[in-house]
Amino acid sequence: MSDLLPNQIDAQRRRGRAAASNPANRFDRLHTDQADDGWPREETDPPIRTTITVDGSRSILVRNRSPDVPFDRSINPYRGCEHGCIYCFARPTHAHLGFSPGLDFETKLMVKPNAGELLEKTLRKPGYAPQPIAIGTNTDPYQPIERQYRVMRQILEVLWAYRHPVQITTKGALIARDADLLGRMARLGLASVTISLTTLDNRLSRAMEPRAASPGKRIALIRDLAAHRVPVGVNLAPVIPGLTDHEVERMVEAGAKAGATHAGFINLRLPLEVGPLFRDWLEREYPDRAKRVMERVREMHGGKDYDPQWSKRLRGTGPHAEIITKRFQLAAKRHRLTGSKPQLRIDLFAPPARPGDQLSLGI
């Protein structure tokens, strides 16, 4: 039986998008449904376009206290993500903005154009203690609108001026623009990059992450960053049982051959609205595999679409999760890839002098 969400939007209107509908915002008491009244339409609805609004946040660092995440602070230059990955665990965060985690997440974006200025104010606060800043932990900092707004470039320029460490995760081709600056930072132990890889199958990638860089381009990014002497890793994220798990060894090998120094993986997780959106996508794109995929996902999460418990949510449990883990570990060992990112330096941090600053006596 079909598990399609209601209010499916015409395929031509949502061309190049992974989600097919806008499920109701879980915080709204009321929602609207589309209905066909039987009358012929005189005109067709226009294609869904990406809209961008300014995020008026007055702070830039997000603090993290999750015990299974290896960083304590991060920056999210954008809210929402035009890459449109159907499996994205960040989709539910769009509900906090009054939007739907469905098509709204892919098309109603928010940008922080003054991110560099906010970051500089934070780094100059008395008592600020540096630790690596993670970027790309929620939505992708190198999604297509970065070409216009260049928020990541201004962030990196501030971090370089302050000699502050950064670790970036992305699947966006635009990071190649910043390879020169990242190379300079990396030579001082201030930068590392992880490229997310989900599949080597172009058709599958286009269907589930329609506006992200192609698999081949992501492998080329690893090669380019490595050529600039940037420590770069490959993260298989997410591994989807019954759909992409057969590619684990090949993806690890492709990353290693391109110059990756470390590797990791995360199994598919489907929190809140992501579950029905992903099931809907499976029914549309891979109806012959949908039942098997969801059976394996639920077997890995205690019979549910998702188990949010710390230490379980990223890998899952059970026989299939254990098999994927073992296969990944063997592949990483075979290609001499470590499981951890390089240690970045914090001892070089030094706010640059500005006109009018009091000079040190030098004693």
Side-chain angles (χ1 to χ4, degrees):
M1 182 177 178
S2 175
D3 198 23
L4 295 180
L5 289 170
N7 297 330
Q8 298 279 310
I9 295 173
D10 181 78
Q12 284 301 114
R13 290 194 63 210
R14 56 178 171 82
R15 185 177 180 183
R17 313 290 183 177
S21 62
N22 260 330
N25 185 313
R26 65 184 181 277
F27 298 115
D28 288 345
R29 295 179 59 188
L30 301 175
H31 67 275
T32 58
D33 289 328
Q34 298 181 66
D36 184 356
D37 58 10
W39 291 96
R41 297 176 63 90
E42 295 182 359
E43 58 183 29
T44 58
D45 292 323
I48 297 174
R49 306 293 185 189
T50 300
T51 62
I52 302 167
T53 57
V54 171
D55 184 328
S57 297
R58 290 180 290 180
S59 61
I60 193 66
L61 282 190
V62 178
R63 297 288 177 170
N64 167 65
R65 294 180 177 83
S66 302
D68 56 352
V69 176
F71 59 86
D72 71 351
R73 65 199 70 183
S74 64
I75 292 176
N76 299 311
Y78 303 99
R79 299 193 189 195
C81 187
E82 199 172 9
H83 282 163
C85 305
I86 192 61
Y87 51 74
C88 184
F89 67 88
R91 283 181 177 271
T93 63
H94 232 43
H96 293 280
L97 305 176
F99 299 130
S100 168
L103 278 166
D104 282 354
F105 178 78
E106 307 175 36
T107 60
K108 294 183 178 180
L109 312 181
M110 301 186 74
V111 58
K112 300 176 183 177
N114 62 337
E117 176 186 344
L118 291 174
L119 177 59
E120 191 159 14
K121 288 180 179 179
T122 299
L123 300 186
R124 284 191 174 274
K125 287 182 177 179
Y128 175 81
Q131 285 296 328
I133 293 175
I135 307 180
T137 59
N138 194 45
T139 58
D140 202 309
Y142 285 104
Q143 57 182 286
I145 61 172
E146 167 65 16
R147 187 182 305 278
Q148 175 185 354
Y149 287 94
R150 299 176 63 86
V151 178
M152 269 302 292
R153 185 70 188 194
Q154 60 173 282
I155 289 173
L156 290 178
E157 287 171 350
V158 170
L159 293 175
W160 170 240
Y162 283 70
R163 300 299 189 265
H164 193 294
V166 64
Q167 50 192 31
I168 299 170
T169 300
T170 184
K171 56 171 69 80
L174 279 171
I175 194 173
R177 178 202 64 197
D178 295 335
D180 59 335
L181 181 51
L182 288 168
R184 292 199 297 273
M185 296 181 72
R187 283 190 281 277
L188 291 182
L190 296 172
S192 69
V193 173
T194 299
I195 299 298
S196 295
L197 190 62
T198 50
T199 179
L200 296 175
D201 183 331
N202 285 328
R203 191 272 177 190
L204 174 56
S205 178
R206 178 61 63 87
M208 70 178 176
E209 42 195 20
R211 300 197 177 197
S214 69
K217 182 63 177 178
R218 291 182 225 180
I219 297 299
L221 288 173
I222 296 175
R223 190 175 298 112
D224 186 25
L225 290 164
H228 283 82
R229 297 171 60 187
V230 178
V232 57
V234 59
N235 193 29
L236 316 188
V239 175
I240 304 175
L243 194 62
T244 67
D245 55 342
H246 66 284
E247 299 186 74
V248 165
E249 290 82 3
R250 291 196 299 122
M251 288 191 285
V252 170
E253 180 181 11
K257 286 184 176 179
T261 59
H262 54 280
F265 82 98
I266 297 173
N267 283 325
L268 179 68
R269 49 183 173 139
L270 301 173
L272 299 171
E273 294 92 344
V274 187
L277 284 164
F278 182 78
R279 294 196 306 270
D280 173 78
W281 176 86
L282 268 179
E283 287 281 351
R284 285 184 285 109
E285 299 290 340
Y286 293 92
D288 57 323
R289 306 188 204 179
K291 185 175 183 293
R292 181 183 63 177
V293 170
M294 290 310 304
E295 284 176 348
R296 291 187 177 179
V297 168
R298 288 166 181 151
E299 181 257 316
M300 293 167 60
H301 292 283
K304 301 174 289 187
D305 284 3
Y306 178 58
D307 182 353
Q309 291 186 62
W310 305 128
S311 77
K312 292 184 178 181
R313 58 180 185 155
L314 303 181
R315 299 288 173 82
T317 58
H320 204 74
E322 293 174 3
I323 290 172
I324 292 175
T325 298
K326 188 64 174 178
R327 287 174 52 201
F328 169 81
Q329 290 173 341
L330 289 172
K333 182 178 180 180
R334 184 181 310 122
H335 295 286
R336 300 179 180 178
L337 298 180
T338 66
S340 58
K341 299 175 183 178
Q343 195 75 22
L344 300 179
R345 297 181 65 178
I346 60 174
D347 59 305
L348 299 179
F349 176 73
R354 296 186 299 186
D357 283 353
Q358 183 175 348
L359 299 178
S360 170
L361 296 177
I363 56 175

